[in-house]
Amino acid sequence: MTNKKIKNIFIITGVIISLMLLSLYMVFIRGFYASSDKVVGPYTGSASIDEYLKYEEWQIGENQYGQPVFFDPHKAFEFAKEQYAEAISLVYDSFNEEYQVGEFSESNYQLYKLLGWQIPAADEEIRKQGVKLTQFLDIYENSFKRWIYVPGIGWERICP
């Protein structure tokens, strides 16, 4: 074999291995965006969305799967930061040392979703605000679900 043939074999093998690794990463780790999570009509499900209908920033529709989703999830998130500021601050103050929750943002909202309803507040209104924050984030994450293959289960729509 000539050096040129060996070089071509290495290049082809490298490309094949790279494509296989990229495919594995997309299937098992990153996932594929579920474009069907866009609003396809008015929400007709059983979740209580009355709280959100009062505000333009929180307009809700239904996705292909019958789940509530915000028409503009980024605008809804920014508005929620204002509406639930006390609860967000209390979650941070109460749990940051133990869980390193970090500042509330679109990239770390999952911890706030898990901890929002657990805030230790003597004030009942702030505690309720924490529960409402958790409910908001439950709807918010519907806009960002991806298809990921879970071994033993199959394809699942989950939040990355």
Side-chain angles (χ1 to χ4, degrees):
M1 267 205 221
T2 66
N3 283 340
K4 191 172 185 176
K5 284 184 181 182
I6 293 173
K7 184 178 178 182
N8 286 341
I9 290 172
F10 277 122
I11 290 173
I12 291 170
T13 304
V15 168
I16 290 171
I17 290 172
S18 296
L19 289 173
M20 287 174 50
L21 291 174
L22 179 63
S23 297
L24 290 173
Y25 170 76
M26 290 302 293
V27 168
F28 293 108
I29 298 172
R30 180 70 176 139
F32 299 97
Y33 179 68
S35 62
S36 53
D37 282 340
K38 302 286 187 236
V39 174
V40 296
Y43 181 66
T44 58
S46 62
S48 176
I49 62 167
D50 295 336
E51 163 109 11
Y52 306 107
L53 299 177
K54 298 183 238 176
Y55 304 102
E56 179 184 327
E57 294 86 353
W58 283 345
Q59 292 306 300
I60 291 179
E62 184 173 277
N63 67 11
Q64 172 181 325
Y65 306 102
Q67 297 173 318
V69 292
F70 291 105
F71 277 92
D72 186 344
H74 302 292
K75 186 166 43 169
F77 188 85
E78 291 302 315
F79 188 65
K81 284 169 73 172
E82 297 169 16
Q83 292 295 310
Y84 304 129
E86 291 175 319
I88 290 168
S89 178
L90 194 54
V91 168
Y92 181 82
D93 294 341
S94 301
F95 299 110
N96 189 48
E97 188 175 309
E98 185 176 352
Y99 297 106
Q100 290 80 41
V101 295
E103 293 293 326
F104 185 63
S105 70
E106 291 187 62
S107 62
N108 76 339
Y109 69 87
Q110 291 91 349
L111 280 172
Y112 283 83
K113 180 183 168 203
L114 293 172
L115 301 169
W117 62 274
Q118 302 178 51
I119 54 176
D123 185 348
E124 185 66 19
E125 284 303 310
I126 295 177
R127 196 188 63 69
K128 285 181 181 177
Q129 196 180 94
V131 170
K132 289 179 181 180
L133 172 65
T134 298
Q135 292 168 341
F136 166 81
L137 293 172
D138 216 15
I139 295 172
Y140 173 76
E141 77 178 354
N142 289 340
S143 299
F144 301 102
K145 291 188 175 177
R146 295 181 176 270
W147 287 103
I148 293 182
Y149 187 81
V150 180
I153 296 175
W155 288 97
E156 288 287 321
R157 281 183 61 246
I158 64 172
C159 226

